[in-house]
Amino acid sequence: MSDDKTMRQLIDDIEAWCDPFLNTLDDIDALLTGNRIFKQRNVDIGVVSLKDAWAWGFSGVMVRGSGAAWDLRKAQPYECYSEMDFDIPIGKNGDCYDRYLVRGEEMKQSVRIIRQAIEGLPEGPIVGKVPRLIKPAAGETYHAIESPKGELGFFIVSDGKSTSPYRFRVRPPSFCNLQGLRRRLLQQGASPLIADPERRSAIQPHTELRTLLQQPPHHRRGPDRFARDAEHVSVHRSPAQRVRVGRPSHHHPISPAQLLQAAG
């Protein structure tokens, strides 16, 4: 199959997907939005004020759910977003329920963007001829995009002579969006823990990667890298398993001989 036919089939598939997806969102809305149990478990749970959202470096739905119309696609347009017509849904209470409502409307706005992108597709090749490896320009730069979880940024420092930059740093939105979780635990207890992270716009791999990169090298090898001090709070997953939430442990392992000597 030629590239043109493949592209045409892809466009047709995307267009055919849009209406059923909107129907699914309507079904979810009818099932959850007015549901008494769903509202009891989300209204006034995980409240984040706009002041705290800015102070903690939140982005994405975490600030929009608290009332800020902040979206990098509008505030700092990149690619072709300046040509797109779409709205920025915002909440006003900053709780899990508002973030749920914002998420639902964002998916509807995404369909608007998809349809405009299809209508504006130019004719011509679909794959640009670019080298697999590109030398970053000399100097330093930071660029961010509006990812589904919030601001995903990349900081690069390069001498312009190599495809490997001198310094490369990723700013994952999940790492910042989870910073206030400890405060939520201390203020509201563990009962909102199930609903809160699901509405905090975070995925665990982002936070684990950032944490491991910041640890000393000897904490990145073997099972010891998962050790934690009981500095903050303990979260019970099951009677037989306890997960400590806190800073990485910097204690060296104790040998059986040392344990016997201490006991004797």
Side-chain angles (χ1 to χ4, degrees):
M1 185 180 292
S2 66
D3 288 343
D4 289 341
K5 290 183 178 180
T6 303
M7 186 64 173
R8 186 66 258 172
Q9 183 62 52
L10 174 61
I11 294 174
D12 292 341
D13 291 343
I14 294 174
E15 288 180 322
W17 170 86
C18 288
D19 284 332
F21 177 69
L22 291 175
N23 292 335
T24 300
L25 292 180
D26 290 338
D27 291 341
I28 294 174
D29 179 67
L31 177 66
L32 296 180
T33 304
N35 184 281
R36 176 178 58 85
I37 298 176
F38 183 79
K39 293 179 72 173
Q40 287 176 342
R41 296 188 178 186
N42 286 275
V43 172
D44 293 333
I45 299 298
V47 177
V48 178
S49 69
L50 184 56
K51 180 181 178 181
D52 286 344
W54 291 132
W56 284 102
F58 294 163
S59 59
V61 74
M62 292 301 298
V63 294
R64 292 192 287 272
S66 298
W70 178 259
D71 188 316
L72 290 178
R73 296 171 298 178
K74 288 278 192 180
Q76 302 171 9
Y78 54 92
E79 296 293 344
C80 59
Y81 281 111
S82 60
E83 306 171 14
M84 299 295 175
D85 179 24
F86 63 97
D87 300 322
I88 304 177
I90 60 173
K92 60 180 181 180
N93 301 303
D95 58 5
C96 287
Y97 189 70
D98 274 22
R99 290 192 283 274
Y100 153 76
L101 294 175
V102 169
R103 275 293 188 210
E105 183 58 33
E106 284 180 345
M107 287 187 278
K108 295 178 182 178
Q109 297 300 320
S110 294
V111 174
R112 287 182 61 187
I113 295 174
I114 289 172
R115 284 173 167 164
Q116 293 175 66
I118 291 175
E119 292 175 0
L121 276 177
E123 299 293 335
I126 61 174
V127 179
K129 294 182 179 180
V130 295
R132 294 189 62 183
L133 297 177
I134 301 176
K135 293 181 180 179
E140 63 179 54
T141 183
Y142 175 81
H143 182 71
I145 64 170
E146 187 69 36
S147 75
K149 302 298 181 183
E151 180 178 338
L152 175 61
F154 300 87
F155 176 71
I156 298 176
V157 180
S158 174
D159 58 7
K161 300 177 181 179
S162 171
T163 57
S164 300
Y166 171 76
R167 185 180 182 189
F168 179 77
R169 184 77 168 182
V170 181
R171 183 216 185 267
S174 299
F175 187 82
C176 298
N177 290 346
L178 278 177
Q179 288 187 102
L181 184 58
R182 177 174 176 262
R183 172 185 275 187
R184 301 274 78 77
L185 285 172
L186 295 176
Q187 289 180 345
Q188 301 180 1
S191 58
L193 190 61
I194 296 176
D196 197 15
E198 294 301 320
R199 307 290 182 268
R200 294 188 73 82
S201 195
I203 54 175
Q204 198 62 31
H206 279 179
T207 61
E208 290 174 348
L209 175 62
R210 181 71 175 268
T211 302
L212 290 175
L213 289 176
Q214 290 181 337
Q215 292 179 11
H218 65 277
H219 285 291
R220 302 179 199 160
R221 299 192 300 269
D224 287 344
R225 72 181 186 275
F226 297 112
R228 298 290 187 272
D229 286 332
E231 180 182 347
H232 299 327
V233 65
S234 298
V235 181
H236 294 268
R237 289 187 176 175
S238 67
Q241 181 183 21
R242 173 176 292 184
V243 180
R244 303 287 191 179
V245 179
R247 294 183 180 177
S249 173
H250 292 277
H251 299 295
H252 296 286
I254 301 176
S255 66
Q258 290 173 312
L259 286 175
L260 292 174
Q261 182 179 2

